[in-house]
Amino acid sequence: MTIPNIITLIRFLLIPLYIAVNFSSAANANEIAISIFIVAMFLDALDGFIARRFNMITELGKMMDPIADKCTMITVVSCLVAKGKISPWLLGFILIKELTMMICGAFIYKKGKIVIPANKFGKAATFLLTFYIVDCALFKWYTYELLFVVIGVMLLAFLSYVHHYIKNYGRKDHV
């Protein structure tokens, strides 16, 4: 197992830790939970950097990294919805988008062992959603303004991935 894959595994392990801390009655639980989330997102950037920089990209990593991202985001947004810090409709939007992308990705992979890589829109959406989550959990500085930007970039990312899914689903050379 490569170092980036180990880092991805650690990100999966941070999810239940986030939940436990988030719903604990400990002093500063909210701040500690968001710190865990920030560490998970930093590790996301780190595992990708290490994988590309040191040529440690693996098929396992290409599949597990986005699953870790989706699980982390859905978990954190769900917890913040439960605490009334984020609107439930954002969670619904994220769930529909991510489930659609996972189903399409599974079809593409099953058909031709093609994994659609992350692109600049997806990375921007992840960064902005991370910033939005931290803002909602701790500050509430840019809640509505930033939400519209996040949704817009998430839609661009979604449309970009749909384009790649359609393009790759019709490929005959990978069947």
Side-chain angles (χ1 to χ4, degrees), residues 95-115:
L95 287 171
I96 291 168
K97 173 189 167 284
E98 297 301 346
L99 285 172
T100 302
M101 290 176 59
M102 287 173 59
I103 290 167
C104 290
F107 278 119
I108 298 297
Y109 186 78
K110 184 178 180 187
K111 183 175 183 214
K113 303 289 188 226
I114 299 168
V115 176

Side-chain angles (χ1 to χ4, degrees), residues 46-105:
L46 182 64
D47 70 16
F49 171 78
I50 291 171
R52 286 184 300 278
R53 177 74 169 92
F54 298 102
N55 197 26
M56 294 182 177
I57 298 171
T58 64
E59 290 302 310
L60 177 65
K62 285 195 273 186
M63 286 190 297
M64 296 307 291
D65 182 73
I67 293 170
D69 293 345
K70 290 168 184 14
C71 289
T72 300
M73 288 297 188
I74 289 169
T75 298
V76 172
V77 171
S78 296
C79 290
L80 292 173
V81 165
K83 288 188 153 191
K85 294 182 180 239
I86 289 183
S87 174
W89 71 263
L90 178 60
L91 176 60
F93 175 79
I94 291 170
L95 287 171
I96 291 168
K97 173 189 167 284
E98 297 301 346
L99 285 172
T100 302
M101 290 176 59
M102 287 173 59
I103 290 167
C104 290

